[in-house]
Amino acid sequence: MFGYNPYLLKETLREAEQLRPDRDVQALQRAVRLFERALLLGRVGRLWSVVLGRSHHLAALATVEARVTISDRFYAGTYAVPLSRIRGSEGRSGDFDLAFRPLQSHSRERWLGVAIACQQGVALPPVELIQLGDVYFIRDGHHRVSAARALGQGYIEAAVTVWQVAGLLPWEQPMPLRTVRRTAP
């Protein structure tokens, strides 16, 4: 199910070349390989998260919003944001994992188009992010972030809106201490 199929990859590349002869073939080939690798790693990561009992999903903005009181919202401007600090999503938390690897292949064409544009140096619009504390949530630009990470970029240009909250954010709250019981020898 999750195995690498070199024949399928060759067929996909051949089809892509025929469908898009105007595109840079090397960029297309690299994009297809990156997508297939990211999809495979995302699916394997999902399995490992089940085995380890840890979540690998993006945080859902709606869930966080329901747990905190937002005291203020303001536009902070457009600037470069570290991709590693983007940890959540507004509405698409099931489509990508924490490393922004795709978990489903339904948006493959969109992802490939963004990855090819990035490789060719095409200026893409900034992604739209919401900042809560030191964590960012994507409002628009999931594929741009995913492709940028797959291409090894460290930062992405983003239009950032800051949400200030009253109190602590869920990930800032102290963890309750667990009681360890000792048994007599």
Side-chain angles (χ1 to χ4, degrees), residues 157-174:
E157 195 71 16
V160 179
T161 300
V162 175
W163 288 8
Q164 293 180 331
V165 298
L168 296 174
L169 291 162
W171 53 88
E172 296 174 334
Q173 296 175 4

Side-chain angles (χ1 to χ4, degrees), residues 15 20 32 40 47 53 55 57 61 65 69 73 79 86 105 109 113 115 117 128 132 143-144 157 167 173 176-177 183:
E15 288 172 15
R20 298 183 175 149
V32 169
L40 176 65
L47 289 175
S55 175
H57 287 287
L61 183 61
E65 192 174 8
T69 303
R73 300 171 197 223
Y79 52 90
I86 303 173
S105 58
E109 289 300 314
E128 293 179 28
L132 282 163
H143 295 92
R144 284 172 272 166
E157 195 71 16
Q173 296 175 4
L177 295 175
T183 57

Side-chain angles (χ1 to χ4, degrees), residues 29-46:
Q29 290 174 336
R30 183 170 184 221
V32 169
R33 286 187 187 100
L34 284 171
F35 179 81
E36 296 299 328
R37 182 175 189 272
L39 182 64
L40 176 65
L41 290 173
R43 290 177 173 173
V44 169
R46 183 181 351 190

